Amino acid sequence: LLFKASGDRRKDRYDLEVAWPLLGESRRSWLRESVARLYPDHPWNEVLVDDGRIAWPGSENGRGNGI
């Protein structure tokens, strides 16, 4: 996922949506911190939520608007 964060393609957002809830807290934390460090202005920095959801803008349940 960190490799996929180098871009912001539709298929990468889909892969993020599928994989993010499956990651444990330590792996989510590592990915969140790594994306923020390597890509400080990346859109994913705004949507990666601690509880395993992805909070795409305008999405009530945290899924579905990113792809």
Side-chain angles (χ1 to χ4, degrees), residues 4-62:
K4 289 179 166 286
S6 64
D8 189 30
R9 303 173 302 180
R10 182 180 179 140
K11 67 181 184 176
D12 298 331
R13 285 183 174 211
Y14 174 79
D15 290 343
L16 177 66
E17 282 199 6
V18 171
W20 183 253
L22 302 175
L23 298 177
E25 177 52 37
S26 64
R27 290 185 175 166
R28 285 195 307 260
S29 179
W30 177 87
L31 182 61
R32 207 175 20 255
E33 291 168 10
S34 297
V35 171
R37 185 176 60 253
L38 294 172
Y39 312 108
D41 297 325
H42 198 288
W44 289 8
N45 290 318
E46 301 297 321
V47 300
L48 300 180
V49 180
D50 288 338
D51 65 2
R53 294 179 303 116
I54 298 176
W56 298 114
S59 174
E60 291 180 25
N61 64 0

